[in-house]
Amino acid sequence: YAPFTLTAEGTHTISYRSTDNVGNVEADRKLTVIVDNTPPVSTISVGAPQYTTAGNLYVSGSTLITLIATDAGSGVAKTEYSIDNSATYTTYAGPMNLAAYADGRHTITYRSPDNLGSIEPDKSVTVILDKTPPMSDITANDPITLGGVSTVSPRTLFSLSAADNLSGVKVTEYSIDGGAWQPCMDIFSLSGLKTGQHVISYKSIDNVLNEEAPKSITVRLVVIDVTKKIDTSLNVLIGAWRHQQERE
């Protein structure tokens, strides 16, 4: 006997015995071992809401990030991660989000060691955090005042615009007098509504479902009915004139 190692992956049985100096040999003994030279394999799953464009992965503050590790040998000892290249790794305890971080780009680095201390190389994924909803504005082809009551007509055309600096605007919606929200695909008017005050509410939602708090304006709709018809009654025109006869 001399010290030895087992390098081949898998299950091995070691049989061993000893003989004394007068030839007595003990019964064989056995030890079964499993050689595990392979570190775990970790994967990351980014939940919803998420949005990918131009190679960038956008997430919201509520998007859950899940780490999963497997090991066919000695098993996973733990999974750990760090955020933004921090030298300190945190032991993964369950799905997490980035709500505590500022908007912008973040890198999640993760890895897992097995129960023999074999650790996989670091892996990472970069996401762009977007916790900020869009901002919407309303304009019209007639003068309107935000915060006041503007007078409009059925011919007044309203339009909505929105901006979002991160994941981008998914939809802009409006509601009239507390009715159902409907997407604003183009201009709209209050044609067909009754004369009087009306409230136009509007909001936008970005591509990771951050929803803007609704804004609203109040307008006074003025409708003027003009009736055109032909007058068929008899009209008599009376004029006065003087005929002057010149005499020589």
Side-chain angles (χ1 to χ4, degrees):
Y1 162 78
F4 63 95
T5 60
L6 299 175
T7 58
E9 194 98 359
T11 301
H12 302 278
T13 299
I14 303 170
S15 299
Y16 60 97
R17 67 186 181 187
S18 296
T19 305
D20 66 17
N21 287 308
V22 293
N24 295 307
V25 181
E26 69 177 321
D28 287 359
R29 300 184 184 189
K30 296 182 179 181
L31 173 67
T32 299
V33 297
I34 301 173
V35 176
D36 178 10
N37 297 319
T38 305
V41 176
S42 301
T43 58
I44 191 168
S45 173
V46 179
Q50 62 165 269
Y51 177 68
T52 301
T53 182
N56 293 317
L57 175 59
Y58 292 87
V59 299
S60 76
S62 63
T63 301
L64 291 180
I65 298 169
T66 304
L67 297 175
I68 301 172
T70 59
D71 187 272
S74 60
V76 178
K78 64 179 179 179
T79 299
E80 55 189 10
Y81 66 92
S82 72
I83 307 292
D84 297 333
N85 300 314
S86 170
T88 301
Y89 277 77
T90 301
T91 299
Y92 175 74
M96 58 186 176
N97 59 43
L98 300 179
Y101 290 83
D103 277 354
R105 191 176 298 270
H106 298 282
T107 298
I108 305 167
T109 304
Y110 58 98
R111 64 189 184 188
S112 297
D114 66 16
N115 286 299
L116 296 176
S118 295
I119 188 167
E120 67 180 325
D122 287 0
K123 299 176 179 178
S124 65
V125 66
T126 298
V127 299
I128 300 175
L129 177 62
D130 180 4
K131 301 188 295 182
T132 305
M135 295 185 64
S136 304
D137 289 304
I138 189 168
T139 56
N141 62 342
D142 288 321
I144 57 174
T145 303
L146 299 180
V149 179
S150 304
T151 299
V152 299
S153 76
R155 293 187 177 183
T156 302
L157 301 178
F158 299 92
S159 62
L160 297 175
S161 61
D164 186 275
N165 293 328
L166 291 168
S167 63
V169 178
K170 179 180 178 68
V171 65
T172 298
E173 301 175 319
Y174 69 95
S175 167
I176 298 176
D177 297 331
W181 289 96
Q182 50 190 317
C184 181
M185 308 304 293
D186 201 352
I187 57 177
F188 64 95
S189 71
L190 302 184
S191 178
L193 298 183
K194 294 181 179 180
T195 298
Q197 284 198 171
H198 297 279
V199 176
I200 303 173
S201 301
Y202 56 98
K203 64 181 179 180
S204 292
I205 303 170
D206 68 19
N207 283 301
V208 289
L209 305 187
N210 293 307
E211 185 170 325
E212 177 184 22
K215 301 175 182 177
S216 63
I217 63 168
T218 301
V219 296
R220 182 184 297 107
L221 179 63
V222 176
V223 180
I224 301 176
D225 292 327
V226 177
T227 302
K228 295 182 179 180
K229 65 179 182 178
I230 298 176
D231 190 350
T232 59
S233 59
L234 179 63
N235 295 290
V236 178
L237 298 178
I238 299 176
W241 67 90
R242 176 172 30 176
H243 175 69
Q244 181 179 358
Q245 183 177 9
E246 296 181 358
R247 297 182 179 180
E248 294 182 357

